[in-house]
């Protein structure tokens, strides 16, 4: 029973996301921006106008924006690091991997980076039509883990996805990480996520 519950929740989440974006797209149009966030561990600390401004002013033009985090747990798709090679960022995946440390000695499935480099499915933003493609593809994988399903989509659609490695909109925090000076300021992020 416990296994069924833990597997059923992410599928329900992805189904709910898909139903919601289809309804939103029908109401607001295919280009309307939407943000999907984990309800239990995310906070919005800025208004809609500031969020839209930050999204439209970002340097990279990939429509689907994922938050980036410093930790990679066992449900992290390490294949998503190919994104750095594809977009020629941070010296490529080899340079990113060179900075990773094991969080637990001898466990290569739990990695930590000094900067946010791993995509996290707890905060996702983009135009309704692109998010519909994303959520449909995530469900089609049949993977009950939304993080792994998102990773598969990312690997197959590197031109559609951006990681907010600058934390301009999304900041994924771990509890011991101190409050950063820009939080709550015009330069700081719109959303805080405590994965």
């Amino acid at each position: 029973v416990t296994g069924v519950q833990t597997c059923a929740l992410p599928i329900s989440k992805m189904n709910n996301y898909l139903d919601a974006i289809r309804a939103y797209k029908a109401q607001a149009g295919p280009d309307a921006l939407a943000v999907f966030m984990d309800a239990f561990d995310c906070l919005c600390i800025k208004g809609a106008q500031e969020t839209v401004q930050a999204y439209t002013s970002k340097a990279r033009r990939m429509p689907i924006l994922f938050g980036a985090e410093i930790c990679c747990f066992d449900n992290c798709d390490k294949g998503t690091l190919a994104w750095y090679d594809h977009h020629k960022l941070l010296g490529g995946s080899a340079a990113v991997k060179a900075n990773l440390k094991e969080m637990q000695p001898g466990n290569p499935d739990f990695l930590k980076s000094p900067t946010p480099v791993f995509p996290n499915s707890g905060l996702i933003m983009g135009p309704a039509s692109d998010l519909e493609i994303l959520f449909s593809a995530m469900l089609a994988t049949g993977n009950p883990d939304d993080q792994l399903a998102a990773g598969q989509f990312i690997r197959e659609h590197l031109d559609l996805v951006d990681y907010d490695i600058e934390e301009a909109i999304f900041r994924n925090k771990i509890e011991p990480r101190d409050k950063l000076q820009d939080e709550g300021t015009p330069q700081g992020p719109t959303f805080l996520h405590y994965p």
Side-chain angles (χ1 to χ4, degrees), residues 46-60:
K46 287 188 180 175
Q49 279 187 309
E50 293 164 301
T51 304
V52 170
Q53 172 62 32
Y55 176 86
T56 56
S57 66
K58 66 188 182 75
R60 295 183 297 272

Side-chain angles (χ1 to χ4, degrees), residues 46 50 54 168 182-190:
K46 287 188 180 175
E50 293 164 301
D182 64 356
E183 283 175 19
T185 71
Q187 299 79 22
T190 300

Side-chain angles (χ1 to χ4, degrees), residues 51-81:
T51 304
V52 170
Q53 172 62 32
Y55 176 86
T56 56
S57 66
K58 66 188 182 75
R60 295 183 297 272
R61 296 287 78 194
M62 295 80 86
I64 300 172
L65 182 66
F66 279 82
E69 67 177 319
I70 62 174
C71 296
C72 178
F73 300 104
D74 57 351
N75 69 339
C76 178
D77 185 339
K78 293 167 192 67
T80 59
L81 294 179

Side-chain angles (χ1 to χ4, degrees), residues 65-69 116 118-125 162-165 170-172:
L65 182 66
F66 279 82
E69 67 177 319
F118 300 106
N120 181 289
S121 61
L123 283 166
I124 306 169
M125 181 178 185
D162 193 6
Y163 304 167
D164 192 5
I165 57 177
F170 301 143
R171 180 163 294 150
N172 287 283

Side-chain angles (χ1 to χ4, degrees), residues 76-84 93 97 151 154-155 158 163:
C76 178
D77 185 339
K78 293 167 192 67
T80 59
L81 294 179
W83 182 84
Y84 293 96
S93 63
K97 289 176 185 176
I154 290 167
R155 285 185 286 112
L158 294 171
Y163 304 167

